[in-house]
Amino acid sequence: TTTTTTTTAAIGTHGLAAETLKNIVLAGIGRVRVRDDGKNASSHTFGKDGNFLNVASDASEETSLAKAMVRTLEEMNPFATIEAENEVNMPLTDEEVEYYSQFDVVVACGFDYASSALINAKCRLAKCGFFVARASATSSSFFVDLGDAFEYISTGGSAAKDGEAVAPPQKETETFCAIDEAVTSSWSDIGKRASRLPAAMTVLWKFEQREKRAASDEDFERLRVEANARAAACGKPENFIADDALRVLLPAKIEIPAVNAIGGGILAQEVLKAVSHKGAPCANFFVFDCVSGQGSIQRLSA
């Protein structure tokens, strides 16, 4: 598979989606479909949602947000095929499996847990890769599911010493799970020095799964109680998940462009790996936060 013959669907309207789309298009993926799936999305929200693809020059026209984004992306790479879904009459979650079958990869930004799980399940049936990403004021993260047996070509070994031959690229296989399995991930194997943010995200997912809504600052004490209960069940001490780890992931009304730039850059890189099957993919959760200034990858599975 080459990047010039693949089709990627990107759904989302805010800063993280814009950063990811920019990097995907500049890298030269053959065909990109942009879908505006926001209930209150508008093509006239310039500077209010971090979406720099929605430029002010479009303000005089009545156009969809997806179309406004595509116009900017076409200027960035006139050789790419970029399309907008302008008349979307139903949420992405209501689309049939056949809809997903037309894509090699679906990248969904800003969806809650319930929607993510439903989209993930349909992507699995359609045998297309699935990425779901979200951003808060101080963090960005994404979950990846590329199927039960994703094959890729490793990049080979590093330069050998004393004139030894460099190990050639090898064909490898990576196993992924759906997000509804990842949400029950055990914390037993998390080391002392490992980031606790991936585990903290499963606490937020569990809350969304149970309450059918996103968590907020008012829910913090409930989240901490649940985190401590999960920690005890896995043989971990109380406060295994620090308060800051939970707070940094809570949804926010604003997104920081610099955080989106980092998250969108890493996400786009992983999309390229998924469509080209070259290089070891992220398996299966990535998170970056500006408090620590670090990004971390952790496998979440039951």
Side-chain angles (χ1 to χ4, degrees), residues 77-199:
N77 185 355
F79 300 102
T81 301
I82 312 168
E83 303 169 345
E85 291 193 14
N86 294 322
E87 296 181 2
V88 179
N89 298 317
M90 66 177 72
L92 182 66
T93 50
D94 291 346
E95 295 283 5
E96 300 294 336
V97 173
E98 288 73 20
Y99 171 84
Y100 298 90
S101 299
Q102 62 187 312
F103 305 113
D104 296 285
V105 170
V106 169
V107 183
C109 297
F111 286 79
D112 60 18
Y113 172 80
S115 298
S116 299
L118 186 54
I119 298 168
N120 191 177
K122 292 183 178 182
C123 284
R124 278 199 151 237
L125 291 173
K127 299 188 183 303
C128 71
F130 169 75
F131 292 81
V132 63
R134 63 169 66 184
S136 70
T138 55
S139 69
S140 60
S141 61
F142 60 84
F143 173 80
V144 188
D145 179 12
L146 301 179
D148 294 328
F150 177 77
E151 295 183 347
Y152 66 95
I153 303 298
S154 67
T155 55
S158 58
K161 297 180 179 179
D162 301 324
E164 296 179 1
V166 176
Q170 300 289 329
K171 189 173 184 178
E172 308 282 354
T173 302
E174 185 63 78
T175 301
F176 291 83
C177 69
I179 195 171
D180 58 0
E181 181 179 337
V183 73
T184 61
S185 177
S186 172
W187 299 351
S188 301
D189 296 331
I190 299 178
K192 292 182 178 180
R193 297 184 179 182
S195 171
R196 309 296 164 81
L197 289 176

Side-chain angles (χ1 to χ4, degrees), residues 273-288:
K273 289 180 183 178
V275 300
S276 67
H277 293 257
K278 294 179 181 178
C282 168
N284 55 359
F285 182 80
F286 171 86
V287 60
F288 168 82

Side-chain angles (χ1 to χ4, degrees), residues 8-11 14-27 29 32 50-53 69 73 76 105-109 131-134 140-142 259-272:
T8 301
I11 300 93
H14 288 191
L16 184 57
E19 288 285 356
T20 304
L21 274 166
K22 176 198 72 176
N23 289 294
I24 288 175
V25 168
L26 290 177
I29 283 185
V32 177
N51 187 349
F52 58 86
L53 298 178
M69 294 167 69
L73 290 168
M76 291 181 174
V105 170
V106 169
V107 183
C109 297
F131 292 81
V132 63
R134 63 169 66 184
S140 60
S141 61
F142 60 84
V259 176
N260 285 336
I262 294 172
I266 300 296
L267 176 53
Q269 175 180 287
E270 292 302 323
V271 172
L272 291 173

Side-chain angles (χ1 to χ4, degrees), residues 19 55 84 190 243 289 293:
E19 288 285 356
V55 296
I190 299 178
D243 289 357
D289 75 286

